[in-house]
Structure formats: C-alpha cells, structure tokens
Amino acid sequence: MPSSPVASPPPSTDPERTRQLRRVALSGLLGTAVEFYDFLVYGTVAALVFGELFFPGADPAVGTIAAFGTFAAGYVARPLGGIVFGHFGDRLGRKSMLLLTMGLMGGASFLIGLLPTYDTVGVWAPVLLIALRVLQGIAIGGEWGGATLMVVEHAGERRRGLWSSFTQMGAPLGSLLSSLVVTLVVAMPRDQFTAWGWRVPFLLSVVLLGVGLFVRLKVVESPLFAEVKKDRAEARLPILDVLRRPRPLLLACCVGIGAFTAQSLLTSYLIAYATGIGYARPQVLTALTVSAAVALVVLPCASALSDRVGRRPVVLTGAALSAATAFPVLALIDSKSPGALILAVVIGHGIAQSAMYGPLGALLTEMFGTRVRYTGASLGYQGATLIGAGFSPMIAGGLVAGSGNGTPVALLLCGGSLITAVTVRFVRETSRTSLSGAAAELPTTARPEEITA
C-alpha cells in the first residue's frame, strides 16, 4: 500500500510507523476474521443441524428457535466481554487483551467441535453448548473494540475511516470463510454431516487461531494509549466514566442497530428461512458467499468515502437503502429462484448493510476519549449487536412460524434501519475530530444545524 494515505503530521510519515500501521491493519483484519468465522460458523450450523442434535424430539420450528436461542446467548454475553476487556484494555493496554480474546474465542470454538450430542449425554449437551457459546460471546465482545481502536489510534487524523475498514472487513471475510467451509461439509451425505461433518468447521478454527495469534504478536501498543498511560493519577473505572455521561453510549448503541439487524437476518436466519421455503442448502450458502465477496469491496469504499464526506451521510444512505429495499429483497427471496436469492442477499447485505457497517468502526471509536475508548466503543458496538442481532433470528423465527409468511422479516429490517437513520441525525460528525488527548468525553451530539442538514 502506498504510504501517502496515512501521511499526517510529521510522526505519521516515519517509515517504521507506516509499516506498523499496515501490520496493525492486517492484525485487525485477520483477528476479526478469525473471531467472526468462529461466531458465524455457529450460526450457520445452528440453522442446519443443532435443532436435531441438541434439542431432539421438538417440533422442527421449535427446535430451530431453541437453536437460535443458544445463538442469542452469545450476543447477550457480548456486552459483558466489552465491559471486562474494555476495562483492562483501557487500564493495562490494547494488545494483551486482543491476544486473550482471540485465544478464548478459538478455544471455545474448538471445544464446540468436540461436544457430545443429546443422544450421548442428555441435557448436558445443550448446557455445555450454551456455556461455550457464552464464552464465544464474551471473547468477541472484547475483540472488535480493541482491534478497531488499535487501527484508528495508529492511523493518524486523515484516513481513519479507510484504515478502520480493514477491521470491518474481518466480518465478511469471516463470513466468506465460514460459508466456504460449511458449503464443503454440507455436500457430504446427510447422515455423515449429521454424525461428524458439522464438527469440521469448528475444529478447523484452531488453524486460523494460530495464524491470527502469530500476526497479532508482532504489533506494538497503541501510541495514543501510550501517551495517556503516563498519567494515571486518577483511579477511576472506565465503565463509570462512560456511564456517568451515558448519551454517547446510547447514541453508539442505537446507530448500529440497523447494520446488525440486517446482518443477522440476511445471514444466519436466512439459512433457516430459505431452506424452509424450498431452497437447497448449497444454493443459500452460495448466495451468502457471493454477498460476502461483494461486501469486501463495498466496505472499504464506504469507509473511504466517509473520510471525504463524513460518517453520518454514508451511514444514513445505507440505512435508507436498507429500509427501502426490505420488501423487494423479501420478494426476491420468496420467488424461490436461486438467481433472485443471490441478488436479494447482495442488495440487502452486501451493499446496504455494508454501507451502514463500514463507517461504524471509525465513528464509534471517535465518539469516546482515549482513556475510556476501549470500554465505550466496545459497549456501544456490543449493545447494538445485542439489540439488533442477538434476538432478531429468534423473533423472526417465532413470527414467521405464527404468520406463515416472511413479512415479519421485512418489517424487522425496516425497523432496525429506521432506528439507525433517526439516530445518526443526532450524532455529531466525527471524521475531523482529533483523537489526541485523554478526555473522557468527546462532543458526540449533533448541533441543531447538523440535525436539519
């Protein structure tokens, strides 16, 4: 990559700092990809087989809802991970926490691949599954905030959006990897997939874990954190500083709801819904793979655009597009045409969701001061995932089962997108905000003229 995009004040032109920025960006990309691979493999396999393996004897719809209940358990745990790892990341440093979150995530995923099923150990099977899912949630709750702010805090002032997109791209890259691996194993005969094939994606996570840890060990601590670490006269807890001024946290939670509602409904839940109306599993996984590939292009473009025109206009455009296309996307899916399915997921997830999601990495980290940035950004992000994604598949499954059609899916997509569209108008533009200094609060509320702009 050329060094010009990260040129800022004189320190940013130092060749060693430029090399370190690239290394941190790669670390964020690989680390987040590993985390999301593990997290999304669970959602995919839960939709395909966990109902019958861990909740046997239930009605298929009930089994699917129960499987997505364990999926939701991981989202419930994510804010806890944001609090715990955010606290120590703000007090002790970003790098050590990122190594710990990656190890915890990879270990939990590997153990899921070794779990006995209900037929072997009875009720302990779902209990152990939920426990490991909670560990996954705690790990990813601390991962995103640390990985993103490490990149943003290394990036200087001019191209924070573009550089933060590397971490954001970890989500579709992890989705792409999980879709490819699951596509290979579901091609197996059904009895073999049910017997042991579903374990393969989880066991492979140990390989990705090794690669991610190798890269992450080579990065250095955030320079902005190193600055504030010199002055530790105050003994405050970062979480108390964040909660003392709750408005930025509430705005951060709400502004991400649309992106995570779309992500959850058009990836994990889509598998259960589409196969339920007649699509073959390989057709659905192909659509997800194509969508993830499109997102890998749209995300950096949207993030780079946010450096030029601002975070708010790009997020608002993505939210408006997601709301406007919710019902057309559902109609394309309901057409039962494989080509229409691909087009639907590309529009709803690859383009609209990516436009909302791309600038979030920079936006959320810019909303908090250096002393509390890990805690604030993590809690804002994980709060948005809990509200927008944690329960969406389970709610959608229940409503679709009750109504007999997919209208609730489109309504949930519209609702999440509209929350983001309204909230972003009350968030002050942060793309030109300096991150230097140790202030516990940055101006995040839009001026009246910005709200009406």
Side-chain angles (χ1 to χ4, degrees):
M1 294 179 190
S3 58
S4 56
V6 296
S8 194
S12 299
T13 62
D14 177 55
E16 176 56 31
R17 181 166 179 175
T18 301
R19 284 193 295 270
Q20 190 58 226
L21 173 56
R22 292 171 178 169
R23 188 177 296 165
V24 169
L26 178 61
S27 165
L29 173 66
L30 293 178
T32 310
V34 170
E35 299 275 355
F36 274 87
Y37 168 85
D38 290 336
F39 207 73
L40 294 172
V41 157
Y42 184 101
T44 304
V45 176
L48 294 175
V49 77
F50 274 5
E52 60 184 277
L53 291 179
F54 291 92
F55 306 94
D59 175 86
V62 175
T64 298
I65 294 172
F68 278 126
T70 64
F71 183 73
Y75 280 98
V76 172
R78 287 169 72 157
L80 176 60
I83 293 172
V84 173
F85 290 107
H87 169 79
F88 290 105
D90 281 327
R91 301 299 293 175
L92 304 178
R94 315 333 193 175
K95 178 180 175 179
S96 57
M97 293 304 105
L98 290 176
L99 291 171
L100 186 55
T101 58
M102 183 177 286
L104 183 62
M105 184 63 154
S109 296
F110 184 77
L111 290 176
I112 289 176
L114 299 177
L115 274 182
T117 61
Y118 190 94
D119 289 341
T120 304
V121 296
V123 71
W124 280 106
V127 169
L128 291 172
L129 180 66
I130 292 172
L132 291 174
R133 182 60 177 171
V134 168
L135 284 179
Q136 280 191 322
I138 291 173
I140 203 169
E143 163 65 26
W144 180 89
T148 302
L149 67 87
M150 273 284 278
V151 177
V152 170
E153 289 181 348
H154 274 85
E157 303 294 340
R158 293 179 56 193
R159 298 293 181 90
R160 294 193 299 251
L162 174 61
W163 284 106
S164 70
S165 71
F166 282 83
T167 302
Q168 300 295 81
M169 288 164 64
L173 181 58
S175 177
L176 183 63
L177 291 173
S178 66
S179 296
L180 289 173
V181 173
V182 174
T183 298
L184 292 176
V185 296
V186 298
M188 302 168 58
R190 175 68 182 182
D191 58 338
Q192 293 183 27
F193 174 72
T194 304
W196 60 270
W198 67 270
R199 301 179 183 274
V200 173
F202 294 103
L203 298 177
L204 284 177
S205 66
V206 74
V207 178
L208 297 175
L209 173 64
V211 175
L213 286 175
F214 175 78
V215 174
R216 189 155 281 180
L217 281 167
K218 293 181 175 294
V219 305
V220 299
E221 186 56 86
S222 156
L224 293 182
F225 176 79
E227 287 179 13
V228 302
K229 190 177 181 181
K230 298 174 184 176
D231 177 19
R232 285 300 183 190
E234 303 172 59
R236 290 158 141 187
L237 295 173
I239 182 64
L240 295 182
D241 278 338
V242 171
L243 295 179
R244 190 175 289 114
R245 302 172 177 86
R247 188 179 180 87
L249 177 60
L250 293 174
L251 290 173
C253 287
C254 292
V255 80
I257 286 176
F260 293 113
T261 301
Q263 181 187 64
S264 183
L265 292 178
L266 295 175
T267 55
S268 298
Y269 180 71
L270 177 71
I271 298 171
Y273 179 79
T275 55
I277 63 174
Y279 286 99
R281 285 175 296 176
Q283 292 174 334
V284 183
L285 294 173
T286 296
L288 293 177
T289 301
V290 174
S291 173
V294 172
L296 286 172
V297 177
V298 176
L299 277 171
C301 292
S303 301
L305 183 62
S306 77
D307 284 326
R308 292 181 174 273
V309 303
R311 319 289 184 221
R312 298 169 71 245
V314 178
V315 174
L316 182 60
T317 299
L321 180 61
S322 179
T325 59
F327 281 93
V329 161
L330 177 65
L332 288 170
I333 295 172
D334 284 344
S335 72
K336 301 182 181 180
S337 163
L341 176 66
I342 293 174
L343 180 60
V345 183
V346 166
I347 293 172
H349 182 260
I351 298 175
Q353 191 273 344
S354 295
M356 285 189 285
Y357 183 66
L360 279 185
L363 176 61
L364 267 59
T365 54
E366 291 163 353
M367 291 173 70
F368 299 90
T370 304
R371 289 191 188 280
V372 299
R373 186 168 292 130
Y374 201 142
T375 300
S378 293
L379 275 181
Y381 184 91
Q382 304 308 336
T385 65
L386 175 61
I387 300 168
F391 297 100
S392 293
M394 189 166 54
I395 293 172
L399 293 176
V400 169
S403 65
N405 61 68
T407 301
V409 179
L411 290 174
L412 285 171
L413 279 172
C414 280
S417 301
L418 290 175
I419 290 174
T420 291
V422 171
T423 303
V424 78
R425 299 182 69 83
F426 292 90
V427 176
R428 188 172 182 180
E429 183 56 59
T430 60
S431 59
R432 298 293 181 266
T433 301
S434 173
L435 300 187
S436 299
E441 181 182 22
L442 292 176
T444 58
T445 306
R447 300 187 184 98
E449 63 269 21
E450 291 178 316
I451 295 174
T452 58

CSV table of all heavy atoms in Angstrom, one decimal, residues 398-419:
chain,number,residue,atom,x,y,z
A,398,GLY,N,-40.1,-17.0,15.4
A,398,GLY,CA,-41.4,-17.1,16.0
A,398,GLY,C,-42.5,-16.4,15.2
A,398,GLY,O,-43.6,-17.0,15.1
A,399,LEU,N,-42.2,-15.2,14.7
A,399,LEU,CA,-43.2,-14.5,14.0
A,399,LEU,C,-43.6,-15.2,12.6
A,399,LEU,O,-44.7,-15.2,12.2
A,399,LEU,CB,-42.8,-13.1,13.7
A,399,LEU,CG,-42.7,-12.2,15.0
A,399,LEU,CD1,-42.1,-10.8,14.6
A,399,LEU,CD2,-44.0,-12.0,15.7
A,400,VAL,N,-42.5,-15.7,12.0
A,400,VAL,CA,-42.8,-16.4,10.7
A,400,VAL,C,-43.6,-17.6,10.9
A,400,VAL,O,-44.5,-18.0,10.1
A,400,VAL,CB,-41.4,-16.6,10.0
A,400,VAL,CG1,-41.6,-17.6,8.8
A,400,VAL,CG2,-40.8,-15.3,9.5
A,401,ALA,N,-43.2,-18.4,12.0
A,401,ALA,CA,-44.0,-19.6,12.2
A,401,ALA,C,-45.4,-19.3,12.5
A,401,ALA,O,-46.3,-20.1,12.2
A,401,ALA,CB,-43.3,-20.3,13.4
A,402,GLY,N,-45.7,-18.2,13.2
A,402,GLY,CA,-47.0,-17.8,13.6
A,402,GLY,C,-47.8,-17.2,12.4
A,402,GLY,O,-49.0,-17.5,12.3
A,403,SER,N,-47.2,-16.5,11.5
A,403,SER,CA,-47.9,-15.8,10.4
A,403,SER,C,-47.9,-16.7,9.1
A,403,SER,O,-48.8,-16.4,8.3
A,403,SER,CB,-47.2,-14.5,10.1
A,403,SER,OG,-45.9,-14.7,9.6
A,404,GLY,N,-47.0,-17.5,9.0
A,404,GLY,CA,-46.9,-18.4,7.8
A,404,GLY,C,-46.3,-17.7,6.6
A,404,GLY,O,-46.3,-18.2,5.5
A,405,ASN,N,-45.8,-16.5,6.8
A,405,ASN,CA,-45.1,-15.8,5.7
A,405,ASN,C,-43.9,-15.0,6.2
A,405,ASN,O,-43.7,-14.9,7.4
A,405,ASN,CB,-46.1,-14.9,4.9
A,405,ASN,CG,-46.7,-13.8,5.8
A,405,ASN,OD1,-46.0,-12.9,6.2
A,405,ASN,ND2,-48.0,-13.9,6.1
A,406,GLY,N,-43.1,-14.4,5.3
A,406,GLY,CA,-41.9,-13.7,5.7
A,406,GLY,C,-42.0,-12.3,5.9
A,406,GLY,O,-41.0,-11.6,6.1
A,407,THR,N,-43.3,-11.7,5.9
A,407,THR,CA,-43.4,-10.3,6.2
A,407,THR,C,-42.7,-9.8,7.4
A,407,THR,O,-42.2,-8.7,7.4
A,407,THR,CB,-44.9,-9.9,6.2
A,407,THR,OG1,-45.6,-10.3,5.0
A,407,THR,CG2,-45.2,-8.5,6.5
A,408,PRO,N,-42.8,-10.5,8.5
A,408,PRO,CA,-42.1,-10.0,9.7
A,408,PRO,C,-40.6,-9.8,9.5
A,408,PRO,O,-40.0,-8.9,10.1
A,408,PRO,CB,-42.3,-11.1,10.8
A,408,PRO,CG,-43.5,-11.8,10.3
A,408,PRO,CD,-43.5,-11.8,8.8
A,409,VAL,N,-40.0,-10.5,8.6
A,409,VAL,CA,-38.5,-10.3,8.3
A,409,VAL,C,-38.3,-9.0,7.7
A,409,VAL,O,-37.4,-8.2,8.1
A,409,VAL,CB,-38.0,-11.4,7.4
A,409,VAL,CG1,-36.5,-11.2,7.1
A,409,VAL,CG2,-38.2,-12.8,8.0
A,410,ALA,N,-39.1,-8.6,6.7
A,410,ALA,CA,-39.0,-7.3,6.1
A,410,ALA,C,-39.3,-6.2,7.1
A,410,ALA,O,-38.6,-5.1,7.1
A,410,ALA,CB,-39.9,-7.2,4.9
A,411,LEU,N,-40.3,-6.4,8.0
A,411,LEU,CA,-40.6,-5.4,9.0
A,411,LEU,C,-39.5,-5.2,9.9
A,411,LEU,O,-39.2,-4.0,10.3
A,411,LEU,CB,-41.9,-5.8,9.7
A,411,LEU,CG,-43.2,-5.7,8.9
A,411,LEU,CD1,-44.4,-6.3,9.7
A,411,LEU,CD2,-43.5,-4.3,8.4
A,412,LEU,N,-38.8,-6.2,10.4
A,412,LEU,CA,-37.7,-6.1,11.3
A,412,LEU,C,-36.5,-5.4,10.6
A,412,LEU,O,-35.9,-4.6,11.2
A,412,LEU,CB,-37.3,-7.5,11.7
A,412,LEU,CG,-38.1,-8.2,12.8
A,412,LEU,CD1,-37.7,-9.7,13.0
A,412,LEU,CD2,-38.1,-7.4,14.1
A,413,LEU,N,-36.3,-5.7,9.3
A,413,LEU,CA,-35.3,-5.0,8.6
A,413,LEU,C,-35.6,-3.5,8.5
A,413,LEU,O,-34.7,-2.6,8.7
A,413,LEU,CB,-35.2,-5.6,7.1
A,413,LEU,CG,-34.4,-6.8,6.9
A,413,LEU,CD1,-34.5,-7.3,5.5
A,413,LEU,CD2,-32.9,-6.6,7.3
A,414,CYS,N,-36.8,-3.1,8.2
A,414,CYS,CA,-37.2,-1.7,8.1
A,414,CYS,C,-37.0,-1.1,9.5
A,414,CYS,O,-36.5,0.1,9.5
A,414,CYS,CB,-38.6,-1.6,7.6
A,414,CYS,SG,-38.9,-1.8,5.9
A,415,GLY,N,-37.5,-1.7,10.5
A,415,GLY,CA,-37.4,-1.1,11.8
A,415,GLY,C,-36.0,-0.8,12.3
A,415,GLY,O,-35.7,0.3,12.8
A,416,GLY,N,-35.1,-1.8,12.1
A,416,GLY,CA,-33.7,-1.6,12.5
A,416,GLY,C,-33.1,-0.5,11.7
A,416,GLY,O,-32.4,0.4,12.3
A,417,SER,N,-33.4,-0.4,10.4
A,417,SER,CA,-32.8,0.6,9.5
A,417,SER,C,-33.3,2.0,9.9
A,417,SER,O,-32.5,3.0,9.9
A,417,SER,CB,-33.1,0.3,8.1
A,417,SER,OG,-32.6,-0.9,7.7
A,418,LEU,N,-34.5,2.1,10.2
A,418,LEU,CA,-35.1,3.4,10.6
A,418,LEU,C,-34.6,3.9,11.9
A,418,LEU,O,-34.4,5.1,12.1
A,418,LEU,CB,-36.6,3.3,10.7
A,418,LEU,CG,-37.3,3.1,9.3
A,418,LEU,CD1,-38.8,2.9,9.5
A,418,LEU,CD2,-37.1,4.3,8.4
A,419,ILE,N,-34.3,3.0,12.9
A,419,ILE,CA,-33.7,3.4,14.1
A,419,ILE,C,-32.3,4.0,13.9
A,419,ILE,O,-31.9,5.1,14.4
A,419,ILE,CB,-33.6,2.2,15.1
A,419,ILE,CG1,-34.9,1.8,15.6
A,419,ILE,CG2,-32.7,2.6,16.3
A,419,ILE,CD1,-34.9,0.5,16.4
